[in-house]
Amino acid sequence: MRSGNHTLLTSSRRATQKLRLLASPTAASGSIKASTAAKMKALISVCIGITIFLIAARAASALAALAFHRLHHRPTASFFPASPSIPRKGYTVLINTWKRNDLLQKSVIHHSKCAGVNSIHIVWSEPNRPSDLLYEVLREAVHSNSIRGNNIELIFDLNQEDSLNNRFKEVKDLKSDAIFSVDDDVIFPCKSVDFAFSVWKSAPETMVGFVPRMHWLDNSNSSLDRYFYGGWWSVWWTGTYSMVLSKAAFFHKKYLHLYSTNMSQSIRNYATKNRNCEDIAMAFLIANETGAPPIWVKGRIFEMGSRGISSLGNHEERRTQCLNDFTAIYGRMPLVATNVKAIDSRSSWLW
């Protein structure tokens, strides 16, 4: 009897405790909160673990690639093989400027810090020669910013005539085959420029740049092939382009010679008269020589000025006229459209 009474008493006490727990909202809530907190901690721990795993995997992959390239004596700065016929040299920065010495100084200072630069040529078409003060300021900037003791040349290419064709005049005795043509009011990070240089070395006959544009066939008149100029938004919308503008692009130095001597004089006269479209003329020239499209490289652009030709009215209408006039001179449309875009995978997390 005592044993039975003890069992009943114990069961009764347990039931009473459960009833008290259920009857107590605070206790129940505390139990639920504790359980939820434990689950949240576990979830956060899992997320942190996955993140650490991905970072470690990415680092291991990068180290493996680095070890592979060192083992085979290849420069790790480029994932693109250089053409055997192209010497492993740097590139010449060809800056087109016009009465914007403040922007010119910023451009020279910036590009003198880039690892691949071996000379900077300034296309000077102003009626007055550059002052001694300007030259000394730029020379000192180049000297102080040149890295690893690299002696970068600074040269003013003086022109008596004010013409947009001056930016593509042949330059004698260049140190390198590669030309990086850039306007004085735009800057790209050195990492992006050097990556574009590595892309160019994989295809040195074509044009490699940061600013894509497109020619579109005008379907409104089926009896005659006419084209209209597609600006940045049409490229962004379709992912299609056929030109990269010389305001920021690499090309082989031989095209300076071909532009000045082999290209139709009527096209050079057109660019001088209309003060426009010399960049389209260069795009036509290279496409006509190669039969291939250019290569668009992803890069963040920093624009320092807003007084360029593109800020004038009817800009796209004038460019459309250039397309059709140049097509008539060539007797065909040489531009080739493409959807290819070069991206530096070392700095991109999205594939």
Side-chain angles (χ1 to χ4, degrees):
M1 291 295 293
R2 289 180 179 177
S3 177
N5 290 337
H6 178 72
T7 301
L8 290 172
L9 182 59
T10 301
S11 299
S12 176
R13 287 177 178 175
R14 289 177 178 173
T16 302
Q17 289 175 353
K18 289 181 179 180
L19 289 172
R20 287 177 178 175
L21 182 61
L22 293 172
S24 173
T26 303
S29 176
S31 177
I32 294 173
K33 288 181 177 178
S35 176
T36 302
K39 292 179 180 179
M40 289 298 295
K41 288 181 179 178
L43 180 60
I44 292 173
S45 298
V46 171
C47 292
I48 293 175
I50 293 174
T51 301
I52 293 174
F53 172 78
L54 291 175
I55 293 175
R58 184 66 183 258
S61 176
L63 289 174
L66 179 62
F68 177 82
H69 280 276
R70 284 179 175 174
L71 181 63
H72 291 77
H73 305 287
R74 293 177 180 175
T76 58
S78 170
F79 285 104
F80 290 83
S83 170
S85 61
I86 299 299
R88 290 184 179 273
K89 298 180 180 179
Y91 54 88
T92 297
V93 179
L94 192 63
I95 304 175
N96 189 53
T97 188
W98 174 258
K99 293 187 177 181
R100 298 190 290 197
N101 291 348
D102 55 335
L103 300 185
L104 175 62
Q105 183 174 346
K106 292 178 181 178
S107 179
V108 170
I109 291 174
H110 170 73
H111 290 105
S112 62
K113 298 177 182 178
C114 297
V117 177
N118 58 31
S119 64
I120 297 176
H121 283 249
I122 300 170
V123 181
W124 188 269
S125 302
E126 299 180 22
N128 298 322
R129 296 172 61 89
S131 66
D132 293 338
L133 176 60
L134 175 63
Y135 178 77
E136 286 302 319
V137 168
L138 297 183
R139 188 190 65 81
E140 180 59 31
V142 169
H143 176 73
S144 61
N145 289 318
S146 298
I147 62 174
R148 294 192 296 273
N150 183 25
N151 294 321
I152 299 176
E153 287 184 343
L154 176 67
I155 300 174
F156 279 83
D157 295 332
L158 305 180
N159 298 280
Q160 295 181 348
E161 180 189 10
D162 175 19
S163 170
L164 291 177
N165 294 314
N166 291 340
R167 73 179 305 165
F168 298 135
K169 274 190 175 181
E170 186 175 9
V171 182
K172 301 293 185 180
D173 301 324
L174 288 175
K175 285 186 174 182
S176 58
D177 292 328
I179 299 289
F180 180 56
S181 172
V182 63
D183 285 352
D184 60 3
D185 61 349
V186 293
I187 279 179
F188 292 86
C190 287
K191 183 178 180 181
S192 297
V193 177
D194 288 335
F195 172 69
F197 177 48
S198 71
V199 176
W200 176 84
K201 287 193 293 184
S202 71
E205 296 299 312
T206 192
M207 202 169 182
V208 176
F210 296 99
V211 186
R213 295 294 185 264
M214 179 61 188
H215 74 285
W216 297 104
L217 182 64
D218 186 356
N219 294 319
S220 62
N221 188 350
S222 58
S223 62
L224 181 65
D225 283 348
R226 285 192 59 83
Y227 303 90
F228 64 90
Y229 181 80
W232 161 245
W233 290 112
S234 71
V235 175
W236 177 83
W237 184 256
T238 64
T240 304
Y241 66 98
S242 58
M243 297 173 276
V244 288
L245 302 187
S246 56
K247 70 182 296 180
F250 279 93
F251 53 82
H252 197 282
K253 66 179 182 181
K254 68 179 181 180
Y255 292 120
L256 296 179
H257 172 76
L258 294 178
Y259 187 99
S260 300
T261 59
N262 289 30
M263 191 178 69
S264 172
Q265 179 64 45
S266 60
I267 295 181
R268 292 194 295 272
N269 293 342
Y270 189 104
T272 299
K273 178 181 178 181
N274 293 277
R275 295 195 62 80
N276 205 330
C277 299
E278 85 289 351
D279 50 355
I280 296 179
M282 179 57 86
F284 267 62
L285 170 66
I286 297 178
N288 187 62
E289 289 292 320
T290 64
I295 301 176
W296 171 23
V297 176
K298 179 183 179 181
R300 186 179 179 187
I301 184 173
F302 296 89
E303 298 195 50
M304 302 183 295
S306 59
R307 295 179 294 167
I309 294 175
S310 60
S311 63
L312 302 176
N314 301 321
H315 177 65
E316 292 201 359
E317 288 82 357
R318 296 173 67 190
R319 308 278 277 182
T320 292
Q321 190 62 46
C322 289
L323 283 176
N324 291 287
D325 290 342
F326 292 173
T327 300
I329 294 172
Y330 274 88
R332 65 185 187 90
M333 167 52 75
L335 298 177
V336 181
T338 184
N339 306 107
V340 173
K341 183 178 182 181
I343 298 176
D344 189 347
S345 61
R346 296 168 298 176
S347 58
S348 177
W349 287 85
L350 298 177
W351 300 86

